[in-house]
Amino acid sequence: MALRTLTGEKLEAERARLALMREYEDTYAACTAICGIDEAGRGPLAGPVVAGAAILPVDCEILFLNDSKKLSEKRREALFTEIKEKAVAWSVGIVGPDLIDEINILQATYEAMRQAIAGLSVQPDLLLNDAVTIPGVEINQVPIIKGDAKSVSIAAASILAKVTRDHMMVEYDTLFPEYGFAKHKGYGTAAHIAALKEALLKTLCKSRREANSAGSWKKVWSEGTGVNGIQRKKTGDRNPERRAGGRLSDPPGRKDPGTEFPLPPG
């Protein structure tokens, strides 16, 4: 099915919606390079966490730009291409399951965001972040709750992160088709949970003696059920496993957090 196009009143309504989503960009118009930051992958049971960074031209118009979760997969794919074509600069940072487990999902998200910022070809002078303040970054930051629906820059970053991660999960699905990654993208759906239980049962049956000698199934899970590091471990503090992350450049050195700007009125 072809994506719909807009004309007449519907086109004007869409442009009016996008104008509202430029409130923060307009408020900080004195900044020459405003960068939106968002992530995808904090909630799933498997796969990496991916952060997107996008600097859009001041006069950039990208119709249908919105929170990636509110868009169809086909629309996200189309916007993914358009954002990369029109952005002044864009980047993604990726942190895998091994490192997520090591430092926890929140810290892994911060690291992915730092990687995304470091990968930009243009140095931003302001970060508009979806809900968080990123530690170790000297650039001024504005955390915005539900920012991916309130800022065109953050919305663009959210699409970069979401589509990049989805592509990775589809690739994982070709390696481990029994888990259904292409459909659920690692989220805890009923099908994913069922696949994990089946994998655990097979491992326990195959390694019964080892499991009995260890006194617990946890040793078997940590050594054999992790889908080669793609599945995050189910630890008590929900710190999923983090593997060496791909990125577009090396992360910056650890620095003091940037100064937070006040939010616009209203």
Side-chain angles (χ1 to χ4, degrees):
M1 181 182 296
L3 292 171
R4 67 189 177 98
T5 57
L6 299 176
T7 58
E9 293 182 357
K10 290 184 178 180
L11 177 59
E12 293 307 311
E14 173 63 8
R15 286 173 170 163
R17 184 188 69 82
L18 290 173
L20 293 176
M21 288 186 67
R22 283 192 286 268
E23 175 187 6
Y24 288 90
E25 285 80 1
D26 292 342
T27 298
Y28 300 109
C31 298
T32 58
I34 297 175
C35 179
I37 303 287
D38 200 7
E39 56 74 31
R42 285 184 65 178
L45 304 178
V49 59
V50 178
I55 301 175
L56 300 178
V58 174
D59 58 350
C60 181
E61 180 180 81
I62 302 178
L63 299 177
F64 303 104
L65 190 59
N66 207 338
D67 172 5
S68 63
K69 297 184 292 297
K70 297 181 179 180
L71 302 169
S72 68
E73 181 177 358
K74 183 176 291 188
R75 179 65 71 184
R76 283 196 302 266
E77 291 286 348
L79 288 171
F80 181 69
T81 300
E82 186 174 359
I83 290 165
K84 291 189 294 180
E85 290 175 349
K86 293 184 175 180
V88 173
W90 67 272
S91 176
V92 294
I94 303 168
V95 172
D98 292 340
L99 197 50
I100 292 173
D101 264 356
E102 182 182 332
I103 63 174
N104 80 45
I105 186 60
L106 179 59
Q107 296 305 318
T109 300
Y110 291 151
E111 177 61 18
M113 290 177 170
R114 288 190 288 262
Q115 290 179 13
I117 295 166
L120 292 166
S121 60
V122 175
Q123 176 73 13
D125 53 3
L126 178 68
L127 302 178
L128 300 181
N129 306 335
D130 186 32
V132 302
T133 299
I134 310 164
V137 174
E138 287 189 330
I139 304 168
N140 292 319
Q141 304 180 53
V142 180
I144 305 170
I145 303 299
K146 297 183 179 179
D148 45 7
K150 298 177 182 178
S151 160
V152 290
S153 301
I154 299 177
S158 77
I159 292 168
L160 291 173
K162 170 66 174 170
V163 175
T164 297
R165 187 181 184 280
D166 284 357
H167 289 174
M168 293 180 68
M169 298 308 294
V170 170
E171 290 183 14
Y172 288 153
D173 188 72
T174 64
L175 298 173
F176 310 101
E178 67 272 23
Y179 289 92
F181 290 138
K183 292 183 178 180
H184 54 65
K185 307 302 189 294
Y187 285 85
T189 63
H192 190 188
I193 297 299
L196 289 174
K197 289 180 179 179
E198 183 177 356
L200 177 59
L201 180 60
K202 289 180 179 179
T203 302
L204 286 173
C205 292
K206 184 176 181 180
S207 307
R208 178 182 298 177
R209 291 180 182 177
E210 180 181 355
N212 289 339
S213 64
S216 169
W217 60 269
K218 293 181 180 178
K219 183 172 185 292
V220 178
W221 171 265
S222 63
E223 293 181 354
T225 314
V227 193
N228 295 347
I230 295 173
Q231 299 283 2
R232 302 176 185 173
K233 294 180 182 177
K234 293 295 289 181
T235 55
D237 57 0
R238 300 184 69 243
N239 295 342
E241 188 174 7
R242 172 177 156 188
R243 164 185 280 187
R247 57 177 181 264
L248 300 185
S249 73
D250 292 332
R254 300 295 182 263
K255 302 175 182 178
D256 294 333
T259 303
E260 292 185 20
F261 279 23
L263 298 180

